[in-house]
């Protein structure tokens, strides 16, 4: 009994630290812009695994079909964003998802002036195929995602731009391995994001035009997450993620045949993040509270801002027809 009370107190203490960090993130808005690619709320929900992404325990390893919904909310000093993810599982092997993002508030900093805006971000559509492996409680998944240009890339706050989307159709591929027992879970993922160019055509008069293309940096992300049952329904989670950023490029062409030009955007770099958190099994509902803590920020461009915020993450998944821990 004493061990249970001690464990519970320790878990609630960790939850309190995370909530205090959330309060600090809400209160620090406007105190400095980080060079953080996760301001585009596309990759983060694909990196932090939901409870249902851990492989089912051996005694309940048959996924049920039907509808479900997930949620992902992230808070930093410069952005508050959330996503709802309705899904439908057609079979134990195949599921379709739609990630619907709402940016409650995004703040950019312009030489001492802050500009803020909010609205719909870029919607992401997922198609996932899963295959169980011979080892009990293990599964491999392959997922293809398409990010649609639904966010307003020309959103303004007065004279300052605060884009809510990239204006491009981008593709993301993910390979994932998961293995679980009733008390432990391991999940490893590899993601690759390929961006398409954002094209702007300017009419110069007389039938001449200039075409300017900007292609954002591709991203390669490797992650490993583990979880451990530390109470009747409490899960302790810890993850590590490494992101490699490409350089990105810009390209200018002229309709009259004049020589064009290309430039490197110098967006390359290496990021490493730590993901501590706690989850709770509430039958069909599985909430999670955690942090994304920057550990390494190393940009190739020496003039790039290497300050990145701690992000507070709240996540849940709800499957009304699914058998999960705690039922």
């Amino acid at each position: 009994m004493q061990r249970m009370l001690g464990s519970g107190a320790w878990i609630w203490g960790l939850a309190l630290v995370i909530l205090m960090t959330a309060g600090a993130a809400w209160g620090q808005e406007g105190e400095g812009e980080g060079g953080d690619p996760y301001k585009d709320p596309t990759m983060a929900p694909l990196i932090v695994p939901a409870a249902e992404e851990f492989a089912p325990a051996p005694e309940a390893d048959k996924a049920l079909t039907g509808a479900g919904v997930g949620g992902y909310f992230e808070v930093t000093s410069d952005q508050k964003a959330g996503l709802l993810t309705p899904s439908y599982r057609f079979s134990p092997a195949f599921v379709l998802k739609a990630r619907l993002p709402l940016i409650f508030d995004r703040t950019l900093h312009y030489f001492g002036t802050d500009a803020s805006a909010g609205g719909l971000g870029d919607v992401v559509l997922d198609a996932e195929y899963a295959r169980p492996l011979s080892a009990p409680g293990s599964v491999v998944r392959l997922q293809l995602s398409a990010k649609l240009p639904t966010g307003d890339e020309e959103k303004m706050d007065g004279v300052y731009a605060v884009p809510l989307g990239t204006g491009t159709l981008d593709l993301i591929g993910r390979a994932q391995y998961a293995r679980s027992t009733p008390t432990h879970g391991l999940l490893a993922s590899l993601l690759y994001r390929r961006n398409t160019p954002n094209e702007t055509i300017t009419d110069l008069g007389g039938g001449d035009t200039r075409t300017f293309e900007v292609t954002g940096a591709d991203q390669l992300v490797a992650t490993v997450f583990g979880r451990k049952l530390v109470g009747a329904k409490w899960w302790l989670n810890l993850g590590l993620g490494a992101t490699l950023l490409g350089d990105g490029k810009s390209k200018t062409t002229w309709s009259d045949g004049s020589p064009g030009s290309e430039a490197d955007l110098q967006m390359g770099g290496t990021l490493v993040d730590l993901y501590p958190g706690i989850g709770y099994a509430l039958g069909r509902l599985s909430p999670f509270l955690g942090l994304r803590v920057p550990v390494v920020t190393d940009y190739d461009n020496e003039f790039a801002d290497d300050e990145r915020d701690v992000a507070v993450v709240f996540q849940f998944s709800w499957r009304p027809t699914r058998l999960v821990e705690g039922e």
Side-chain angles (χ1 to χ4, degrees):
M1 180 69 174
Q2 184 177 359
R3 179 182 298 178
M4 291 177 63
L5 290 174
S7 175
W10 179 76
I11 292 170
W12 284 110
L14 178 58
L16 181 61
V17 169
I18 294 173
L19 291 173
M20 290 174 64
T21 305
W26 277 97
Q28 290 174 359
E29 184 171 310
E31 292 189 0
E33 178 182 2
D36 193 343
Y38 294 114
K39 279 191 175 181
D40 169 14
T42 297
M43 294 293 284
L46 296 173
I47 293 174
V48 180
E52 64 178 19
E53 292 187 70
F54 285 94
E59 68 272 14
D61 60 2
K62 185 176 180 181
L64 301 180
T65 60
V69 66
Y72 182 94
F73 301 87
E74 186 173 287
V75 176
T76 70
S77 64
D78 290 328
Q79 180 165 281
K80 290 82 183 172
L83 296 95
L84 286 180
T85 306
S87 64
Y88 192 86
R89 182 172 293 280
F90 294 87
S91 71
F94 185 67
V95 61
L96 292 178
K97 302 177 183 179
R99 302 181 189 271
L100 312 175
L102 181 62
I103 300 172
F104 303 111
D105 182 81
R106 170 177 288 173
T107 299
L108 300 182
H109 307 279
Y110 290 93
F111 306 103
T113 299
D114 293 345
S116 299
L120 179 69
D122 287 340
V123 171
V124 178
L125 303 179
D126 301 336
E128 178 189 286
Y129 172 77
R131 182 179 179 84
L133 301 178
S134 57
S138 62
V139 64
V140 64
R141 300 185 185 94
L142 299 176
Q143 179 176 295
L144 181 63
S145 303
K147 187 192 72 64
L148 309 179
T150 56
D152 186 356
E153 61 174 310
E154 299 179 348
K155 186 74 171 181
M156 303 290 292
D157 181 7
V159 298
Y160 297 100
V162 189
L164 302 179
T166 64
T168 58
L169 172 63
D170 305 327
L171 297 178
I172 304 165
R174 183 176 74 172
Q176 190 178 77
Y177 168 79
R179 184 172 183 180
S180 284
T181 71
T183 58
H184 292 80
L186 174 68
L187 188 148
S189 298
L190 187 66
L191 299 88
Y192 179 69
R193 174 175 177 174
R194 178 68 175 177
N195 297 310
T196 62
N198 186 334
E199 183 179 272
T200 301
I201 300 176
T202 304
D203 187 354
L204 303 177
D208 293 332
T209 60
R210 180 189 65 185
T211 301
F212 182 63
E213 293 183 350
V214 176
T215 304
D218 292 347
Q219 299 177 27
L220 179 65
V221 185
T223 66
V224 59
F225 283 83
R227 68 173 185 170
K228 175 180 172 58
L229 189 67
V230 293
K233 298 182 179 181
W234 290 98
W235 289 92
L236 180 64
N237 292 46
L238 185 62
L240 184 68
T243 302
L244 298 180
L245 300 173
D247 289 323
K249 65 179 181 179
S250 65
K251 180 180 179 181
T252 303
T253 57
W254 308 84
S255 62
D256 64 1
S258 299
S261 62
E262 292 190 18
D264 189 330
L265 297 181
Q266 298 184 328
M267 300 172 68
T270 302
L271 312 176
V272 178
D273 298 299
L274 194 65
Y275 296 87
I278 52 175
Y280 191 73
L282 284 173
R284 294 172 174 85
L285 179 67
S286 300
F288 170 84
L289 181 65
L291 301 172
R292 184 179 79 241
V293 182
V295 177
V296 174
T297 305
D298 182 15
Y299 292 119
D300 297 340
N301 184 348
E302 61 177 322
F303 300 106
D305 185 358
D306 60 0
E307 293 295 326
R308 294 193 297 134
D309 292 329
V310 172
V312 180
V313 173
F314 173 72
Q315 188 181 59
F316 72 88
S317 59
W318 182 63
R319 287 284 303 280
T321 60
R322 182 179 179 225
L323 297 175
V324 296
E325 306 97 331
E327 287 196 309

